[in-house]
Amino acid sequence: MGRLTEPLRRQLATRTGRQDQINGILFALPWLLGLSILILYPIGASIYYSFTEYSVLRPPRWVGLANYIKMFTADDVFWLALYNTVYFAVFSVPLGIIVGVGIALMLNMKIKGLPVYRTIYFLPVLVPEVALSILWLWVLNSQFGILNAILWEVFGIVGPGWLADEHWSKPSVILMALWGVGQAVVIYLAGLQDVPKELYDAAAIDGANAVKRIRHVTIPMITPVIFFNLIMGLIGAFQYFTIPYVLTGGDGKPAQSLMFYSMYLYRRAFVMLEMGYASALAWLLFIIVLVCTLLVFRSSNRWVYYAGR
Amino acid sequence: MQQQAFAVERPLARPMWQRTAIKTIGELAKHFVLVPLAIIFMIPFFWMLSTSLKPDAQIFKWPPVWIPSPIQWSNYVDAVTTIPFFHYVWNTLIICGLSMLGVTFASPPVAYSFSRLRWVGRDFLFIVTIATMMIPYQVTMIPVFLIWANLGFINTFVPLIAPHWLGTPFYIFLLRQFFLSIPFELSDAAKIDGATELGIYRRIILPLAKPALATVLVFEFLNRWRGFIGPLIYLNDQKKYTISLGLQMYQQENYTEWSQLMAASIMLTMPVIILYFFAQRTFIQGITMTGIKG
């Protein structure tokens, strides 16, 4: 106790110290309220609810681990939603990194018209998710959509049903996610501009050609940015909600192939009013995201290069 | 000696015209990839615009009509009349405006306290604040909803606005980083001249923080304008819908009205694109700032 109160005692010993302490707390006051009411209390409440059966209309009833046991043993949709989400993450995140780095590398080669290209690749990022979903429902319309029209007129291919076909619906949303790669491109470009020019000159003198310079200089130098995008991509994939919700009206059709984890959680909470079960789903989501992040972090010392370390 | 010879020799290995040719071909090769890719990226926009101007007969046609003829501007009129478009926009603007006001009021003083005031418990609370950013919103979503439900604020804008009047961790973080870059001598000098802490904050720090505050407000506007899950959870009366929610509900019931849906989607997107062209630097800076230092 002494160790904890000692700095406070010393702070309060002088007049300016007391004044500083009061000012500090006063300035931070809105957030101290916000933090406790809207974050810390809800975290505690949510842990408690996850061990209860709670339908809003009646007070929560303690059920121990029943929600967690039910999830793993008696809920097929939970497994399906988890599978869909992992499928989406496994394809969309690496593809996003490859395409994003690829475009950024090309844009970084002192190309003419960089601002124009950058704007074009960035524009999709600006489209609100609801508008984006409605737009792609129409682009991917199997009968009258423009993608199948191009496939037929240019390549003579009869396109699939895309969002209407349970085997093509997940590739469709991965394609949509790639359309928004511009956000990552902007971040990669900023990372690329920080790579010291001397490194390229040194590599060139050592006889490295353009491909080798990218492989052995550029890519290692931007691994911290790739690392950041990987983690944000994983977190984003597990929270993927608005787009599949709008595409399917919230039910994950066809054949629940677009039922993603966060959407399922929302349904349990706000459609079926099972707040206890939904809270348990939320905590499992947190644990999954945490474990994924920790695994990526642990692997990072093998592939992420921090200059100056 | 040998190294120098090597360095001089290599560039001279090929005659000038060859080097220019290689460079030109290289430049063309990049555009050879980038131009088709840019066209692919633009096709959905083109399709949205084209559909929004088509007469109904040309929408369901195979092979599709690329350029509508005649151009039917009335689709836009239909879109804003069959959907109470401007009413939804008005609702959204109220939420945007009051949230932005809240952010201006609440987040900078907290960031100021976390960066430029010395008090016991500050660093601990800052670490807690950063740590809470790692927690998915799904975890707090349910208890927060129940709080607002118990207070009787369901189907009002209060749950969508009030949290921003209590500080937003991400903005607090961004502003704190900015405040730390302002020289501390400025505060010390003002203090010697007898300024109070509130005076220093209002007269010196806040005016200097305008660019950072602008970034934060652009973010806040975009998040409120595009936001979907908040309105979805809290608003259930059609009169209260925001534009995103209203458009989604309309789409559910009228999923074949493609020209109107595209016209409305364009109108939902345009303010964001216009804002982007006016505040391009703020956008790009904001994204790279969150991308690299976040």
Side-chain angles (χ1 to χ4, degrees), chain A residues 29-91:
Chain A
L29 201 58
W31 175 236
L32 295 182
L33 283 175
L35 181 66
S36 25
I37 300 171
L38 294 176
I39 297 190
L40 296 181
Y41 161 74
I43 288 173
S46 163
I47 295 178
Y48 167 66
Y49 293 153
S50 79
F51 295 110
T52 65
E53 193 189 291
Y54 188 15
S55 65
V56 190
L57 305 170
R58 257 175 281 156
R61 190 171 64 85
W62 183 265
V63 292
L65 285 170
N67 287 330
Y68 292 93
I69 293 166
K70 180 176 155 196
M71 233 187 267
F72 287 104
T73 56
D75 188 349
D76 293 341
V77 185
F78 160 77
W79 286 107
L80 187 64
L82 192 60
Y83 165 77
N84 288 341
T85 308
V86 171
Y87 182 116
F88 176 71
V90 162
F91 286 99

Side-chain angles (χ1 to χ4, degrees), chain A residues 21 24 31 117 138 153 179 262, chain B residues 31 41 51 63 113 120 129 138:
Chain A
Q21 186 72 20
W31 175 236
Y117 283 122
W138 182 226
E153 289 193 350
W179 195 51
S262 293
Chain B
H31 291 288
F41 267 71
T51 305
S113 175
V120 179
T129 304
Q138 282 90 347

Side-chain angles (χ1 to χ4, degrees), chain A residues 166-217:
Chain A
E166 58 177 287
H167 302 291
W168 283 92
S169 55
K170 280 189 283 290
S172 303
V173 289
I174 292 166
L175 187 71
M176 290 169 62
L178 284 178
W179 195 51
V181 79
Q183 173 119 9
V185 169
V186 169
I187 300 177
Y188 290 130
L189 265 177
L192 286 169
Q193 271 147 23
D194 286 346
V195 179
K197 216 188 148 299
E198 301 88 75
L199 289 181
Y200 294 114
D201 297 341
I205 288 170
D206 287 347
N209 60 25
V211 176
K212 279 187 175 160
R213 284 199 296 266
I214 288 173
R215 169 78 187 75
H216 296 290
V217 178

Side-chain angles (χ1 to χ4, degrees), chain A residues 11 21 24 30-31 46 109 111-112 117 121-122 125 137-138 143 146 149 153 179 205 228 239 249 262 286, chain B residues 6 30-31 34-35 41 47 51 62-64 113 118-120 129 135-136 138-139 143 166 226 251-252 287 291:
Chain A
Q11 174 100 5
Q21 186 72 20
W31 175 236
S46 163
M109 290 192 277
I111 195 150
K112 284 196 190 82
Y117 283 122
Y121 296 130
F122 189 71
V125 180
L137 272 172
W138 182 226
Q143 272 183 291
I146 198 160
E153 289 193 350
W179 195 51
I205 288 170
F228 171 80
Q239 303 199 3
S262 293
F286 175 58
Chain B
F6 178 71
K30 284 178 236 162
H31 291 288
L34 284 170
V35 169
F41 267 71
W47 187 232
T51 305
W62 183 268
S113 175
R118 262 174 240 283
W119 50 287
V120 179
T129 304
I135 293 172
Q138 282 90 347
V139 168
L166 295 175
R226 302 191 290 192
Q251 188 269 336
Q252 281 301 301
I287 285 171

Side-chain angles (χ1 to χ4, degrees), chain A residues 76-153:
Chain A
D76 293 341
V77 185
F78 160 77
W79 286 107
L80 187 64
L82 192 60
Y83 165 77
N84 288 341
T85 308
V86 171
Y87 182 116
F88 176 71
V90 162
F91 286 99
S92 72
V93 176
L95 276 173
I97 290 176
I98 293 166
V99 175
V101 172
I103 294 177
L105 282 175
M106 282 188 282
L107 291 182
N108 194 44
M109 290 192 277
K110 286 196 208 93
I111 195 150
K112 284 196 190 82
L114 166 69
V116 178
Y117 283 122
R118 193 175 60 183
T119 304
I120 289 176
Y121 296 130
F122 189 71
L123 277 182
V125 180
L126 299 170
V127 181
E129 281 170 310
V130 172
L132 183 140
S133 309
I134 294 174
L135 165 61
W136 278 88
L137 272 172
W138 182 226
V139 167
L140 296 176
N141 185 294
S142 57
Q143 272 183 291
F144 305 106
I146 198 160
L147 182 57
N148 277 357
I150 292 172
L151 286 178
W152 174 245
E153 289 193 350

